[in-house]
Amino acid sequence: MGPRTESLLSILKLQPVVPVLIIEDARTAVPLARALVAGGLKAIEITMRTEAALEAVRLVAAEVEGAEVGAGTILNAAHFEAAVAAGSKFIVSPGTTQELLDAARGSSVPLLPGAATASEVMALREEGYSVLKFFPAEQAGGAAYLKALSSPLAGIQFCPTGGISLKNAKDYLSLPNVICIGGSWVAPKELIAAGDWAGITKLASEAFALTA
Ligand code: 3PG
């Protein structure tokens, strides 16, 4: 087991799909997270792409029972520390830097680091990581590409994200080296803006029911 691998796996194995959220208004965070949890999706990634993101993590961590909130789009150590201070239970990055690896080494909160090539995977493997985000999945080569990595890079498991939806989810979930997938399709911005929490619970339930 690599760095904090067990605690990361215990979160990622809760469900087949980790919702990737872009939250513009922190007031939507709690009802949105409750809607996702009601549909079965407990592990939730809030991306640090908006000003509201840290407050959203704080609110979900404090108020949404059953949610395991994580922070995504973490690009540096300052992001990492702020996200952990806000209550993130896991950290996701689109790629990997030495600074991020150093921040993760000093933290009890697990990092799901991004990789898109065999060399990047190998570098992370040398650091002890065996559970990685494959990003951007569709654009980098899709399920066929990831499948091709499974034999030479045996023992590495991925959570692919980027361009995944209900349509191609099973292509990934059926691969032996995929533990879960990530995607924003379960929380479309139109439904968030409309406060259509029932609609989001329906999308979450469909995603939760996905199997290989
Ligand atoms: C991301 O970090 O942007 C995720 O990969 C989500 O990608 P998607 O919006 O294509 O699902």
Side-chain angles (χ1 to χ4, degrees):
M1 287 276 166
R4 320 277 184 281
T5 303
E6 279 178 73
S7 63
L8 182 61
L9 281 175
S10 71
I11 294 171
L12 297 181
K13 284 184 170 171
L14 288 170
Q15 61 215 29
V17 179
V18 176
V20 176
L21 308 183
I22 297 174
I23 297 183
E24 301 288 351
D25 179 349
R27 287 170 302 181
T28 62
V30 166
L32 172 56
R34 288 200 177 119
L36 292 163
V37 171
L41 304 183
K42 295 179 174 173
I44 291 167
E45 176 188 332
I46 296 178
T47 59
M48 296 293 121
R49 296 181 206 174
T50 61
E51 285 192 11
L54 272 181
E55 178 63 5
V57 169
R58 230 174 265 127
L59 289 168
V60 174
E63 296 183 25
V64 183
E65 207 177 319
E68 295 282 349
V69 65
T73 322
I74 296 296
L75 305 180
N76 55 45
H79 278 169
F80 192 116
E81 279 146 29
V84 169
S88 301
K89 301 278 182 8
F90 62 102
I91 299 293
V92 186
S93 58
T96 307
T97 63
Q98 193 55 49
E99 179 178 311
L100 265 182
L101 294 175
D102 291 344
R105 194 170 298 116
S107 176
S108 59
V109 175
L111 170 67
L112 176 67
T117 66
S119 296
E120 290 167 7
V121 173
M122 287 164 66
L124 282 163
R125 196 166 172 269
E126 285 177 7
E127 295 284 337
Y129 285 86
S130 57
V131 180
L132 312 179
K133 166 168 164 142
F134 173 52
F135 177 82
E138 277 294 283
Q139 297 82 351
Y145 180 108
L146 198 49
K147 186 176 183 195
L149 296 183
S150 69
S151 177
L153 298 168
I156 305 292
Q157 293 178 289
F158 295 92
C159 176
T161 74
I164 304 183
S165 66
L166 265 193
K167 224 171 47 194
N168 54 4
K170 287 192 181 206
D171 298 345
Y172 291 94
L173 289 169
S174 61
L175 299 179
N177 56 348
V178 167
I179 351 165
C180 64
I181 58 180
S184 60
W185 89 89
V186 288
K189 65 172 186 277
E190 302 73 32
L191 296 195
I192 298 174
D196 185 354
W197 312 127
I200 286 177
T201 295
K202 185 167 177 284
L203 291 174
S205 304
E206 283 169 3
F208 183 73
L210 280 167
T211 52

